[in-house]
Structures are given as C-alpha cells and as structure tokens.
C-alpha cells in the first residue's frame, strides 16, 4: 500500500465488500481484499460486462473533467466518492488542460485515505487535497479545513458525483444529499454525475444488486425519470441525460457498446 503506516492506524473494514475496492479490482488494481474480489467475481458471473461498464464510467469522468476545464472554464473541482487512485486521476485530467486547477477529493473508505498521497501529485500551479468524509455529512464536508484551504466557495466549482449515488438506497435521502451540496455551490457551478440504472437489462441488474447486498454492499438502481431528478433546477448540457457512454464520446468505439452492457446514465448540468 502507498502508506502502510497510515493504513495500520485505521479500520479498513475488510469484513465486508466496498464499492471502491470492487471497482479497483475490476479495473486491475491491487488495493482490495478477498471479500471485494469475491463480490466482483460473483458479479462477473451474472454480468460479464461489468468490466466494460466500469471502464465506461471511468472514461466518462475523464471526458466530463476535460469538458468542464476546457469548454466551461472551471478551475475548481470537488470529487465526492473518488475511490482508490487510478491513473489518470481527475486532477491529472483537468490540470493537463489548465495547470492551475484545484481539486478536492473525498471518500469514506479508509483505504482511500491510506492512498491519498497519490492524489496529491498536483501540477505546481494548481493544488489538490483529500478529505475523509461521507457524502451524507454535507455540512462537515464543506466545513473541512482541507476543502476551505483549497477551494473558493464563492467561485464556480465542478461537482463530480461519479458512480456514487447508487450507494444511497433511499431515494429521498440521495436526492436531499446531492441537492444540499449543489445548493452550497455558487451560480455557474456544474454537476457531473453517473447514476446506476437497470433500464437496459432489468433481470440481469436485479441479480447484480442481489450479489452486492449478499456481500454487504448497497446498491440502488434508478430509472431515467428517477435519475433526471438529480438535475432538477439545473441546466442540462447537450445531449442531456443519456447512457454514460453516449455522452459526447471521444470515438466510435463507445457508440458500438451494447446498451445492455452499460448500467449508468450520465449527464452534466449548470447551476443557474
């Protein structure tokens, strides 16, 4: 691990699977445990496209970051539920466009904290910081010194909720949490999000959700109408809410993916 001393001080909760570590395993990482690998392999048995889906989620994040930095002039980013560092990370993507970009990463998995050093390799003109926090604890997250010292909450911020809201099973709670964060951001900020759905393979994804639950992880898949509610009051950027691989793809390869292999909607919207 990147910081074995730090990881020894925290409870890594290795008795249950965690979405960030399942994601890490599927993407070929080594920062996961037997329970995470078991959950991932059990999911692959019922849905072999899991790797395709998770890679599509990662590349959506890359496209969203570049779009916000290049096309929208965003220079501050708040990445909630960042997961275990996987290159290129968000700051590497946006600082390639604008070296002065600032990024705050947050996650509630202690293993991510143990690897936070990998998220601090900022370009000299910019800055990165890490906050260990649950997204449900909005007020404490926004008050964290690391965040306040890195981001100016009076200037537009790119809020990244990539593959995270499906870990809040209650619809009202998930909406309330995301809205409290958006409400705290100034006009001209953007929300980029991917939201889990079973619209395109309902029977298969129901089995996937069962596997996650059996291994101690939560999952709530939402319809297009339910996903759209996360962007209420915001101005959707074209092409609006679509399957994430269809949001401004970089190449035709994304468009050739089978719809049943992609279980997330993606969108970017501006706060007026």
């Amino acid at each position: 691990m990147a910081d074995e001393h730090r990881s020894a001080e925290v409870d890594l909760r290795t008795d249950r699977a965690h979405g960030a570590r399942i994601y890490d395993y599927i993407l070929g990482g080594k920062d996961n445990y037997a329970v995470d690998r078991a959950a991932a392999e059990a999911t692959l048995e019922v849905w072999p496209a899991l790797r395709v889906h998770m890679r599509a989620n990662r590349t959506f994040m890359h496209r969203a970051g570049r779009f916000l930095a290049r096309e929208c002039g965003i220079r501050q980013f708040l990445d909630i539920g960042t997961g275990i560092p996987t290159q290129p990370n968000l700051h590497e993507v946006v600082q390639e466009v604008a070296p002065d970009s600032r990024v705050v990463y947050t996650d509630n998995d202690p293993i991510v904290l143990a690897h936070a050093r990998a998220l601090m390799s900022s370009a000299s003109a910019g800055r990165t910081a890490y906050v260990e926090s649950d997204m449900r604890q909005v007020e404490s997250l926004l008050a964290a010194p690391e965040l306040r010292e890195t981001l100016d909450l009076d200037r537009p911020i790119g809020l990244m909720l990539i593959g995270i809201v499906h870990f809040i099973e209650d619809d009202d709670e998930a909406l309330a949490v995301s809205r409290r964060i958006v409400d705290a951001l100034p006009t001209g900020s953007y929300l980029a999000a991917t939201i889990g759905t079973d619209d395109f393979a309902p029977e298969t994804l129901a089995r996937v959700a069962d596997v996650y639950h059996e291994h101690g992880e939560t999952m709530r898949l939402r319809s297009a109408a339910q996903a759209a509610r996360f962007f209420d009051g915001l101005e959707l950027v074209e092409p609006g809410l679509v399957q994430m691989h269809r949001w401004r793809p970089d190449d035709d390869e994304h468009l050739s993916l089978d719809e049943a292999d992609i279980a997330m909607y993606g969108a970017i919207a501006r706060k007026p």
Side-chain angles (χ1 to χ4, degrees), residues 192-243:
T194 55
I195 299 165
T197 184
D198 60 358
D199 280 353
F200 302 93
E203 293 183 4
T204 299
L205 269 295
R207 293 166 65 194
V208 169
D210 287 343
V211 169
Y212 266 60
H213 291 144
E214 289 167 3
H215 287 82
E217 183 57 285
T218 58
M219 177 173 286
R220 171 73 169 102
L221 301 171
R222 296 179 167 94
S223 67
Q226 292 169 324
R229 293 185 63 195
F230 287 91
F231 301 93
D232 283 352
L234 306 178
E235 300 169 345
L236 281 167
V237 173
E238 290 294 331
L241 182 76
V242 295
Q243 275 185 290

Side-chain angles (χ1 to χ4, degrees), residues 134-163:
D134 191 301
M135 71 177 292
R136 297 176 180 88
Q137 300 167 347
V138 176
E139 289 72 22
S140 62
L141 166 61
L142 295 176
E146 298 92 340
L147 185 147
R148 293 283 178 166
E149 292 167 3
T150 306
L151 304 181
D152 180 352
L153 296 182
D154 292 324
R155 295 174 51 232
I157 289 172
L159 171 63
M160 314 292 283
L161 299 181
I162 306 299

